[in-house]
Amino acid sequence: MKKKSSAIYTFIIYTVLYAFIIAFLMHFFEDQCKSLVYNGDGWRQHIRAMEYISRWLHDIVSGLFTSADMPGTYAFSIGYGSDIISILAYYGIGDPLVLIAAFIPSSQIINLYSALIILRPYLAGLSFLLYCHTRFYYNQKNVSGYVVPAFPVVIASAISYSFSGMVIYLGMLHPFFVIPLVVFPLVLTGIERYLYSNKPSFLIFAIFLAGISNYYFFYTEAILACAYFICRLTYIAQKHKESPKSFSSHQSLFTKETPLFWGASVFIKAVLYVITGIGMSMIILLPVAIQFMQNSRNGITYAKSLFYSSDYYKMLLADLVGFYNNPMNDTELGLSAALVAGIIFMITVKGHKRLKLTWLLTLILLIFPVFGKIFNGFSYSNNRWSYAIALLAAWTLVSVIDDIQQSTKIQMLITIIITAIFVFIEYKLGNLITDDVPFKRNVVFSLILVCISVVFILLLKSKRMIVSFTIAIVAVVSVVMNINYGYSGTEASFPQEFVDKMNSEEYALASTGSEVSYVDNAVISDIAANALDNSIKRYSGIGKTLSLNYNASMPYGYSSTQFAFSLANGYVSSYLNKLGIFEDQSFAYFGLDDRFIPLALANVRYDCANGYDNGQYMYVPYGFAEMTELSADAYPPVIKIFKNVLPLSAGITYSGYITESEFDEMNLAQRQEALTQAIVIPDAMIDKLSNTSITNTAIVYSYHDIPYSITQLNGAKITDSTGNDISSAVNVSELNDVRIKAQSGSSITLTFDGLTGCETYLSINGFYGSHGTDAVMPVLFESYNNGNAVTTKKLYYYTEYFPFRSDWHDYLVNFGFTSSITSVKITFENEGIYSFDQIKIVCQPADSAVANLSSHLQYQMSDIDLHLSNESHATNTFSGSITSDSDKLMLLSIPYSTGWTLYIDDIETDLYQADIMYMAALIPSKKHSVVLKYETPGLKTGIILSMFFSILWLLITFTPMFLKNREN
C-alpha cells in the first residue's frame, strides 16, 4: 500500500509541476504573440507534413466507412511526385499520437501540432518514472539493503529530464525529436523486465513503438539499447551466479549453468524477441529502408578529422547547464543544476563503477567526431543522441543520492574541489564562447544553483527528506530559469524564431495563402476556358526568389518543382546534378533554373514570379507568357503567373534513344540538348529494344561556345594549373584548370559578344572552394548587357564541413533569354581558394529547342486521369491513352520508382528508368490504353511481416498466462 501511495504521489506531484512549468514556458509565446511552429523546418516541413498526413488519414477513414475509394500511397503534390509513407515516415506518419489527426479537421492541425509539443515531454517524464519504478522494483528484490530513493528526488530527475535542452530547444524546433525521450526509457524498461523476470512482451512492444515512430531515432536507440543490454546482461549474469534461484524464470538453452552460458542463452533469446519487435514495425521500416537505397544523400563525402573544432569543446561544456541556441553538431544538453550536482557526487561517492564507466564512455563519444558520424548513419557528425545523456544524468541523480549520506570528510572535500573547478571552467567558457548576455547570465545563475545544491546536500546529508526536497526545488528553479533566459522577450527571445500566433482559421489561410493559391486561380481560369487537359498540373518558380515556398503545394494536390523533406528521391537529385541545375541541396530544391528545356520536359504548366518585382521579368523562361486574362480580384499582384505556351503532355514519344553512358560522356550543354532528341536509357535496356524500330540517335547540337575575355580582375589572382597568370586571357573559348585566389568581395568579369534568341549560360565544371574549415562559400553571378544589369544568381557552395551539402561541382548557370548578354561578373563573397576544371560561356538557341520538342507533340498521351483522392489528392493509378504510327518510346514526366507497374491494354509491360529521373516504356503502333498502378515498394511485404510478428507477439504475451491458468 505504501509503495502504491508513493507512486501515486510521485505521479500527481510530477503532473502538477509539469503543468506549472509548461504553462510558464507557454506564456512567453503568448506574450510575444508567437505560435509553436518554428519559422524554418517547422513551417516548411513539420506542420505541412502533419496536415498532409491528416488529409490522407481522412481519406482512409472515408474509404473505410463510405463508398469512397481508398487513397493511394503516392502524391504528385510532394515535389515532382513522391511516395507518401517513406517520405513522411520521418515526420510522424507512424507516430501513434499523430493518428489523432485522422479525427480532426485539417484546418485544426495547428492545434494538434501545438498540443503534441506540450504532451510529448510530459510523456517522456512518465516513461522515465516507469523506468525508475521498474529498476526500484528489481533492485529491492535482488540487492541486499537497497533503499528506494525518496520520491522528491525521483520527481526532480523526471522534471529535469522532461525539460532538458533536447526538449526546450531542439524539441521545439523539431517536435518529433522528443519521441526518443518518450520511447527510449520504455525500451530500457523492457530490457529490465526481460533480464530479471524473463518477460519479453513489454520489450517487444517498446521496440515496435520505437521502430514505427521514427526510423532515424530508432537507429540511434538501437545502438544505445544494445550497449545497455550488454552492460546489464554482464551484471545480471554475475548476479545469477550468486543466486540462480532469483533468475530461475530464464530457462537456459545449454546444459551448463555458468554465467557465460546462461548469459549466452539469455542473449540468443533476446535476439529473437528483438527481431519480433522490429518485424512488427516493418509496415513502416521496410518501405523506408527501400527508399533509403535511392536516398539523395547517399555517397556524399564529409570532412574527416580526429577532433572537433575548439569552439565545439567550449560550447559542449558551456551548454551543459544552460539554454544554448544552436549548439554545434546538435549537441544540446541543457541539464538542470540538480542533475549536474548529481554527476559531481557520482564522481566522489564510493561504488557505482558501471555508472562511472558509462559516463567515461559517454564523454569519449562526445569528444571524437567519428562517433557522431556513426550515430548519424555514417554521414556528417551529429549528436542528436544526446537525449540519452539527459536520461543518464537523470538516473545518475536517482542512483547516487542516498550514497551521499556515507560520504567521508575527504570525499566531501574532493566534492567541493571538483565543484570549484567545474564552476571556474564553466564560468570561463560561458564568457568565451559567446557575447550573448542572457546566456552568460544563465550560466552564472545555473552555477550558483549547482553550488547551492552541493553545499546544502553536504551540510544536510543526514536529513534525507530535507535533502530530497532541496534537490526537487533546485531542479524546478533551474528548469524555470533556463526557460526564462531562453524564452523571455527581455532575454534570448527564442520564441521570435517562430511564426506569428494564429488560430485555426488563420492557419488555414496561411497554409494555402502561398503562390499555389495563384496557381489554383490559373488552373480554374484555364479549365473554364477549356485550355487545360487533365494532365499533371505542375508549376515552378522564377529566379529562386520568394516566389516559391517549400512544400506549399501539398494541400492543393498540384505537382511542383520544389521539395524539402529529409528523405528525397535520389533519381531527381541525380537529374538536377547531371544537368548542372543551379540548386544548393539534393534534398531541398526549388526549380529548374528557369531553363526552357528542363521545364518543358518536366511538364511544367505555370511559372510563378514575385508580382512586386518587375525585374523578375528578366528571369521568365522562354516559352512562358503572363496570364493577363486573370481578373484583378482573382489575381492580386503579390504573385504573377506565367503560362507555358507550348505545354507537353505527361507522356510524349521518341523514335530514338541514347544510352546513359553516352549521356555521361557529354558536357552539360550537350546533355540538355540531347534530351530534346532522344530518351536516355540505362545501358542494360538496349537488348530490350533490339527487335524494335527504336534506334540509337545521333545527336545534332545547335548550342554555341562563345569566346570571352577576362576584362576586369578586382582583388583576385587567377592562374592555370602550372601557376601561370592568366588574368589577361583574351578571346578564349574556355579556361581549363583555373585556380582563383580571392579576398572577400573579389571578382572577375568575363566579356563576350552574346547572341540573341538564346538562353545564355555560364558553364562551370569541377568547381571547388576551400578556406580552412569554412562551411559555406557564397559566389555571386551577375549578367550584364552593355553595362546594364540583367540577372543575378547566387550559388551557396557548401564545403565538406557543411552537414547538408550535396557535393555537386558542375553548374550550368542560366542568365535568361530576355536579351543578349555581353558580360558576366563572378564575385567571391568569402576569402579562399576557388578552383575550376573548366569555365565556358554557352548560348542555346531557343528555336532549335522548340523544333526538337515540337517533334514529340504528334504522338503524345491524352485523356489523362490522375485518379486523385478527395482531401489528400493521393493516388495509386495514372491512366490515359496514346496513339502512334510505329513503335516508339514513351517518356513519362513522373519520377522513377520501382513502385510503378505499367499496363498497356491491360497487359503488364516493362517500365524503365529514363532521362535519369523519369520513366519510359515501349509503345507499339496504333492506339492503346495506358494504366500505371502504384504500390509503395515493400509495403505489402511490410504489412505481411507486421501482421505475422504481431501475432507472434500476442502468442508470446498471452501463452504464458494461458498455461499458468491451466496449471491453476
Side-chain angles (χ1 to χ4, degrees), residues 233-476:
L233 178 59
T234 57
Y235 170 78
I236 293 175
Q238 186 62 35
K239 289 292 181 182
H240 172 266
K241 179 182 179 181
E242 298 170 2
S243 177
K245 291 183 179 180
S246 298
F247 301 91
S248 59
S249 57
H250 280 286
Q251 295 182 352
S252 178
L253 300 176
F254 305 98
T255 55
K256 293 185 178 181
E257 277 289 322
T258 65
L260 177 62
F261 282 96
W262 184 86
S265 175
V266 172
F267 180 83
I268 291 170
K269 289 186 291 182
V271 170
L272 299 177
Y273 295 136
V274 168
I275 291 173
T276 302
I278 295 173
M280 290 172 64
S281 60
M282 277 294 137
I283 186 173
I284 295 293
L285 287 184
L286 188 57
V288 167
I290 293 173
Q291 179 66 35
F292 249 111
M293 300 300 292
Q294 52 176 280
N295 183 23
S296 63
R297 301 198 207 188
N298 289 344
I300 294 176
T301 58
Y302 298 91
K304 296 178 182 178
S305 59
L306 181 59
F307 296 101
Y308 293 102
S309 68
S310 59
D311 283 345
Y312 167 84
Y313 299 106
K314 296 174 186 176
M315 192 178 296
L316 180 63
L317 282 172
D319 175 47
L320 182 62
V321 295
F323 176 93
Y324 195 89
N325 194 326
N326 195 26
M328 295 179 68
N329 303 87
D330 282 347
T331 314
E332 186 67 66
L333 302 177
L335 305 179
S336 74
L339 296 189
V340 174
I343 296 171
I344 293 173
F345 280 113
M346 180 268 301
I347 297 172
T348 60
V349 299
K350 289 184 178 180
H352 302 286
K353 291 182 180 179
R354 291 175 181 271
L355 192 58
K356 292 173 182 177
L357 179 61
T358 301
W359 273 108
L360 178 61
L361 293 174
T362 300
L363 186 60
I364 293 172
L365 294 180
L366 289 173
I367 288 175
F368 297 103
V370 63
F371 297 110
K373 288 178 177 287
I374 293 172
F375 275 106
N376 201 38
F378 297 89
S379 56
Y380 59 92
S381 294
N382 190 281
N383 293 318
R384 290 172 185 160
W385 60 273
S386 52
Y387 62 85
I389 300 176
L391 178 62
L392 177 60
W395 176 249
T396 297
L397 177 62
V398 171
S399 299
V400 305
I401 190 63
D402 284 319
D403 293 321
I404 298 171
Q405 297 178 45
Q406 285 75 45
S407 297
T408 65
K409 291 182 178 180
I410 293 178
Q411 289 173 328
M412 293 170 63
L413 179 60
I414 294 173
T415 301
I416 293 173
I417 293 173
I418 291 175
T419 304
I421 294 173
F422 170 76
V423 168
F424 175 78
I425 295 174
E426 194 76 15
Y427 175 76
K428 285 294 185 181
L429 291 179
N431 283 273
L432 285 175
I433 196 63
T434 180
D435 292 327
D436 181 44
V437 175
F439 176 70
K440 290 181 179 180
R441 287 203 295 263
N442 191 183
V443 169
V444 169
F445 282 100
S446 294
L447 294 176
I448 292 173
L449 280 177
V450 170
C451 293
I452 291 173
S453 300
V454 171
V455 171
F456 266 76
I457 292 170
L458 290 176
L459 290 176
L460 303 171
K461 62 176 185 166
S462 61
K463 302 182 184 301
R464 187 169 184 261
M465 288 307 297
I466 295 177
V467 168
S468 299
F469 277 106
T470 299
I471 290 173
I473 293 170
V474 168
V476 173

